Amino acid sequence: MQSSVKSRPRRLVKCAMEVNLSYYKLKNRTYPPSVTCMLVKLATAGDILLSVEEIERYTQSARDYEETQRSIDENDTLFPTITTTTNSSPGFACDVASSTTSFTSDPHAVSLAEAQSYYAGLHSEPILLYRTGKEQWSPPRGPEAQRRLKELREVFNHPIAKVWNDDLGWKVVAIMDTHTIRFTSIDVVRFKKVEVDEPDSDEEDVEDEEEDEKQTPKAKKQNIGPVTIWIGVFPESTTPTAAHDAAQDVLALLKDYEITDVDVDFRESLYIREAGPQLLPPVEDLDPLVDVIGPLTPALGLRISTRAKPNAQGTMALYLAEGGDSDTLLGLSCRHVLIGSKEGNFDYIRHPRAPSKDVLLLGKKAYTDLVYSIKVRIRGYGISMECWTEQIEMFSEREKGTDQADIQKAAAFRIEMQALLDKAKTAIEALAALLKQVDTDWKKLNDRVLGHVLRSPAITLGAGDEHFTEDWAIFQVDRAKLGDGFQGNKLDLGKKLTPNEFPFNCFPHGTTNWEFKYPIDHLLPLTGPLPPSLMHAPDTLDSAGSPCLLVVKNGTTTGTTLGRANGPFSIVRDYFNDMSIHQTSMEWAILNYASKSEVFSGPGDSGSIVADIRGRIGGMVTGGCGGRTEGSDVTYATPFWWLLQRIRNNGFPNAHLDVRP
């Protein structure tokens, strides 16, 4: 073997091997048998050191293998099926059983390239299984070819929105069941091609811009496709032919409603449920703690967990007053956040003599993240101080020169740098004090107890006449824990979007009937439930003058995010271990704001309250759906107007939102 290879630490050699093996790894395929054997050896022995010649040989083989597979992708219409075979691995002294991918032709399948690229731009990168519609798809070509990106868009002004929630949606479910389609979610959406709606700013004429400012802004060209019934199915559970047959029945059903301009798409997708001292008051924007103190304030978006499972995390939705003769303060979140699945899915009512189910502020990860964020800020200021100190010394030397103009300039710079240095010192002192306080007051679980669970019905999908998801729990909040900073139901808008950026994303331009005003304390007051009529027919418009319901939430994982609520409710199905046993439910769907924005929610955001930008409460996050990656394309929430009534009918008849600090 080469001495240069021998001298490398084993960990680095294994890392180098992984880099070379990455040539073999293609999406939705397994390794060739020889590579599988090599991986097994690396995983078990860990002592394999390859010569430079051997590494180059494997690399070239991998490139040849990838080129062969790429030609298959571009030229053949194939549907993958998984088979298990036993292969002998040439060049290695072992035989391994490896799962290899074979392909069988399906007359209704799209090409593998289209399957993997059709939904480019969506965060979860779902796999297209089958689609109706007339759009002609072709792979990008040329040396600088880029994938054509898509964004999800909501649906309001379309005939399907008037009938979907009443009965059409459930008839589509019946068709899926007739064809034994193991669907996970059914959404009604549109797709927008991103690039058409984003003109190159370099091509805009400055004089035209100045003239346009004097006139009413014109809407950008919108390249939005037809309304689509977007059906998610379990990966590898449905053939394109089965999807085709079901889609034809759906199209026939739509004709009964005189709807002929709707497409039906199938994609692979999963439905996922996303799981001492006083709190501190919020601080002003100029306070050095503003970027880190949020998790320790009582504003909505509290990061919560439980003593029983502190490694899990979720978000508190709202404060509720028990009402009547009681002054008890209540907290609302999802049941699956506060009560583990191993405890049994049955109604829970706290017994006074039974051990309490404690609700914690900050689970283990949230606490670790908080400590880390403070240390990062301290380190950042420390690095800046070192730089500014050196610059102050440099400017001081320049002040000793003879050039009066340069002396004055150096003096001005030195004074400015000194002010920054003094500010950084103050910030470090404040952050260090907070870090010490967190370590002293919040490190122990007993110091983070926010309250205890009082009541929670069993999780039920399709509950009530509306068929919504019932996944909620009420816990009693220790009011003394909230401290002097408690201001009731106000949503923390965070600092990810500045006071200038946030309103800009709320469509300040165009012919709109209302304009968002950013609260000076970045706390959005919540006013009451958003009625169902406005969920389907919003009273706010986007910059193009179309109905749009822009919503915001603050969750444990993704923080403050903006999203677009949809008009027709989505339908989700949750399966048990036995796939023949399932529950189906309607959900209020929230789409990601745009393809370039972050996802609206992620695991750990369950329980987050979703409000429109006017402060009207829309719903509580219960889950989401996605494809190949961890990103979520659609977030699902239970409408709050329905949820509040269920809470009142289940032990809290006088519960209301008017909580007093």
Side-chain angles (χ1 to χ4, degrees), residues 155-159 161 190 536 546-547:
V155 175
F156 287 109
N157 290 341
H158 189 276
R190 293 180 188 265
H536 310 312
S546 300

Side-chain angles (χ1 to χ4, degrees), residues 29 65-76:
R29 294 198 182 89
Y65 178 80
E66 185 175 16
E67 288 298 324
T68 301
Q69 296 301 329
R70 183 182 294 114
S71 65
I72 294 175
D73 291 352
E74 294 177 351
N75 298 325
D76 293 340

Side-chain angles (χ1 to χ4, degrees), residues 231-292:
I231 302 172
V233 299
F234 263 103
E236 301 179 7
S237 69
T238 305
T239 65
T241 292
H244 164 80
D245 295 343
Q248 300 312 304
D249 285 354
V250 172
L251 294 176
L253 172 65
L254 292 173
K255 289 182 179 179
D256 294 340
Y257 289 81
E258 298 183 351
I259 298 175
T260 58
D261 58 346
V262 171
D263 290 344
V264 181
D265 284 14
F266 286 78
R267 93 277 192 191
E268 294 187 346
S269 177
L270 294 175
Y271 168 62
I272 305 169
R273 295 194 183 278
E274 301 182 339
Q278 291 185 342
L279 290 171
L280 305 177
V283 297
E284 293 76 18
D285 287 349
L286 297 180
D287 194 293
L289 304 181
V290 68
D291 292 321
V292 297

Side-chain angles (χ1 to χ4, degrees), residues 496 502 551-555 558-563 598-601:
K496 288 197 298 185
F502 202 101
V551 294
V552 61
K553 74 104 188 67
N554 186 352
T558 57
T560 304
T561 52
L562 286 169
E598 61 183 323
V599 296
F600 184 73
S601 72

